[in-house]
Amino acid sequence: MPSTSFVGADAIRTQFSTAMSDMYRQEVPQYGTLLDLVAGINRDWLEAHPAERAALEAAGELDRLHVERHGAIRLGTAQELAQACRVFAVMGMQPVGYYDLSVAGVPVHSTAFRPVGDEALAANPFRLFTSLLRLDLVADPLLREQASETLARRHIFSERALALTARSEAQGGLEVAEAQEFVAEVCGTFRWHSQATVAADTYRQLHDAHRLVADVVCFGGPHINHLTPRTLDIDAAQRAMPSRGIAAKEVVEGPPPRRHPILLRQTSFKALVEPVHFTDAASVGSHTARFGEIEQRGMALTRKGRALYDHLLATARDGDGTGTAYEERLTRAFEAFPDDLDTLRQEGLAFFRYRLADGAASPPGRLGASGGRTLDALLASGAVVAEPITYEDFLPVSAAGIFQSNLGGTEQRSYAANAAQAAFERDLGRAVLDEIALYEAAQQRSIDAVLAQLGHCAARPETALA
Ligand code: OOG
Ligand code: NI
């Protein structure tokens, strides 16, 4: 049984995300500007939308908003991925989803480390999009060999970080001082290194194979490449970026603007050009990898909803995925995606969390012994309310768009698309969780709780969802 003097995983994750944010603000000052901008936009939006504000508050979304962020890192070897998996587990972050980026011409595959429980997500949903380089997609065997030898020489986590991870695994948690030390050590893994581990020539060759290969292979550690705050109005953020001296990418990735947002919309600013010292050259080179991003989160979609989303996005993308013509096609295509909560729920397109309505302590009429009243009837009577469940994950096509924009927008590679989830999970040391199953379980937990409060011991499938 864990000792009560242990710091909870949620608290360690919050310390870590704060430390990462502080570090990134130092390293990339424009990130600080972005945080200011987003905080201002969120404040204005909440003031201008009292009804939406109340809904967000009721759904527990407001408290976490100011700490809510995701970041992204790119790892080089199976060993690094397996270690990362153990390290993030100390902070309650588990691998969710498998993303094959080779379809978009990026030689990596990825997962998102994030908390999964309702309370953990409410406390701090900090997520890290974590990619593993796929050297098998680099064509030149000599270059591949050189890259893997270079990677084999580095140790991205300090001995102390790994020792504290092992300690947490063995004793079931970390004490206050240990947790502090753990956070500082792990944060250090993701700092920027202006000193490359290779000669200028090697950097150039790897860079020519793919900029991302150079980004992963040539440095002593996997620098955090962006941290993303959550905005409530990404279109306002996009419009305001230039006035703060931030050059935003051309289009917002993801679904078009809607009354009831779905999934995820994202925009970013171009990567910085940072000076780099190579092991040989007297001259200083440069590297472009680190950038800023903003996101707006909407509701999680069911498999059916996601299939419709993918279909409509593909229709709009048929042709060029940029420019105003694309935005128009996107808006037109998504007219086929219902935009009112009842339809989204009744058609089983999105996930909802159910709860007793405020002040409905003694709801009108209890469920009969046969479970006679369905959830729909309870909703209609006003005794129960359904709130959309926020999407906590990523979108591979958007991720690819973000990758591309940071690669300068010109880079085009085509790899024979081949997802390799089994190999990824072998390297990770465990299976990734299925995000849809997590949303389904969250929805079902809320239904069970409502039915239990109404005097039903257990949910019956036929009463759970009519
Ligand atoms: C990760 C890009 C993916 C997102 O928000 O979709 C991502 C990367 O550039 O390493 O962060
Ligand atoms: Ni991102």
Side-chain angles (χ1 to χ4, degrees):
M1 197 171 137
S3 142
T4 46
S5 64
F6 288 150
V7 185
D10 292 351
I12 304 180
R13 185 171 65 259
T14 294
Q15 284 172 31
F16 178 67
S17 78
T18 305
M20 290 286 281
S21 186
D22 291 346
M23 181 176 83
Y24 201 57
R25 203 194 315 233
Q26 294 275 315
E27 292 183 348
V28 180
Q30 270 196 321
Y31 165 68
T33 310
L34 207 61
L35 288 186
D36 277 358
L37 180 91
V38 167
I41 282 172
N42 288 351
R43 210 176 314 116
D44 292 350
W45 191 90
L46 288 168
E47 247 165 54
H49 298 82
E52 286 86 347
R53 184 201 164 94
L56 285 170
E57 191 156 26
E61 290 289 337
L62 274 198
D63 287 341
R64 68 181 200 168
L65 189 64
H66 65 288
V67 295
E68 180 158 359
R69 245 148 247 155
H70 84 251
I73 55 169
R74 302 158 183 168
L75 305 176
T77 66
Q79 191 195 35
E80 291 175 4
L81 184 66
Q83 287 177 342
C85 189
R86 291 176 50 213
V87 166
F88 295 144
V90 174
M91 303 186 257
M93 296 160 77
Q94 304 199 36
V96 179
Y98 172 76
Y99 302 85
D100 169 25
L101 276 297
S102 71
V103 291
V106 183
V108 303
H109 48 183
S110 319
T111 190
F113 286 96
R114 68 163 177 88
V116 296
D118 295 337
E119 277 168 30
L121 283 165
N124 188 326
F126 186 64
R127 324 159 171 93
L128 265 181
F129 192 87
T130 302
S131 300
L132 177 65
L133 180 63
R134 289 184 62 185
L135 281 178
D136 58 302
L137 296 178
V138 171
D140 179 349
L142 278 177
L143 203 59
R144 214 160 48 216
E145 188 56 31
Q146 191 169 22
S148 75
E149 275 170 15
T150 307
L151 285 170
R153 280 195 293 270
R154 75 179 189 182
H155 301 282
I156 63 168
F157 292 106
S158 67
E159 275 179 28
R160 189 64 188 144
L162 293 174
L164 286 165
T165 300
R167 191 165 167 76
S168 173
E169 289 167 346
Q171 66 187 12
L174 294 176
E175 312 271 345
V176 175
E178 291 171 336
Q180 262 169 11
E181 205 189 345
F182 173 83
V183 164
E185 292 284 330
V186 175
C187 198
T189 292
F190 303 113
R191 74 178 193 278
W192 170 244
H193 298 254
S194 58
Q195 175 65 54
T197 54
V198 300
D201 232 26
T202 308
Y203 175 88
R204 210 178 37 246
Q205 282 168 31
L206 292 168
H207 193 276
D208 287 348
H210 197 295
R211 295 167 75 130
L212 214 93
V213 177
D215 183 57
V216 175
V217 175
C218 301
F219 301 90
H223 37 262
I224 176 92
N225 68 58
H226 66 283
L227 270 183
T228 302
R230 175 177 171 192
T231 181
L232 297 172
D233 186 351
I234 199 160
D235 300 297
Q238 174 87 344
R239 283 191 300 274
M241 277 161 84
S243 69
R244 298 286 193 111
I246 303 174
K249 75 188 283 295
E250 211 188 329
V251 297
V252 173
E253 300 281 348
R258 296 164 50 88
R259 216 163 98 68
H260 297 289
I262 52 172
L263 300 174
L264 186 61
R265 300 181 68 212
Q266 299 180 307
T267 184
S268 63
F269 65 73
K270 293 254 154 66
L272 307 183
V273 179
E274 294 173 282
V276 174
H277 303 270
F278 296 106
T279 52
D280 60 335
S283 68
V284 178
S286 68
H287 182 67
T288 348
R290 288 153 17 107
F291 62 101
E293 184 187 54
I294 301 179
E295 69 187 10
Q296 177 170 4
R297 289 191 173 265
M299 67 190 90
L301 300 183
T302 60
R303 289 186 209 282
K304 181 182 171 193
R306 181 53 192 266
L308 179 59
Y309 169 83
D310 286 339
H311 169 70
L312 298 178
L313 192 71
T315 314
R317 272 193 183 255
D318 198 11
D320 190 14
T322 58
T324 49
Y326 168 67
E327 285 180 345
E328 276 160 31
R329 283 202 305 279
L330 191 66
T331 305
R332 226 173 315 114
F334 273 81
E335 279 162 12
F337 207 114
D339 198 7
D340 72 276
L341 294 181
D342 281 341
T343 311
L344 288 162
R345 197 182 58 77
Q346 278 158 6
E347 292 190 4
L349 293 167
F351 288 110
F352 288 80
R353 193 170 272 125
Y354 296 81
R355 63 173 175 81
L356 289 188
D358 294 334
S362 53
R366 295 161 64 92
L367 289 162
S370 62
R373 301 187 63 195
T374 65
L375 214 45
D376 274 344
L378 288 163
L379 284 161
S381 77
V384 169
V385 291
E387 284 148 356
I389 296 180
T390 300
Y391 188 60
E392 307 286 351
D393 294 287
F394 293 83
L395 293 174
V397 179
S398 294
I402 298 277
F403 269 112
Q404 290 303 347
S405 78
N406 296 302
L407 297 170
T410 53
E411 188 113 358
Q412 278 303 338
R413 289 280 188 288
S414 51
Y415 299 109
N418 58 351
Q421 183 166 349
F424 186 83
E425 292 181 330
R426 187 197 59 223
D427 291 349
L428 185 67
R430 58 166 285 183
V432 299
L433 300 172
D434 172 7
E435 68 276 18
I436 304 286
L438 292 174
Y439 296 119
E440 241 155 31
Q443 177 172 276
Q444 191 58 47
R445 272 196 302 278
S446 75
I447 292 171
D448 292 348
V450 161
L451 295 183
Q453 283 168 296
L454 291 175
H456 252 241
C457 305
R460 296 189 175 85
E462 73 274 16
T463 58
L465 272 179

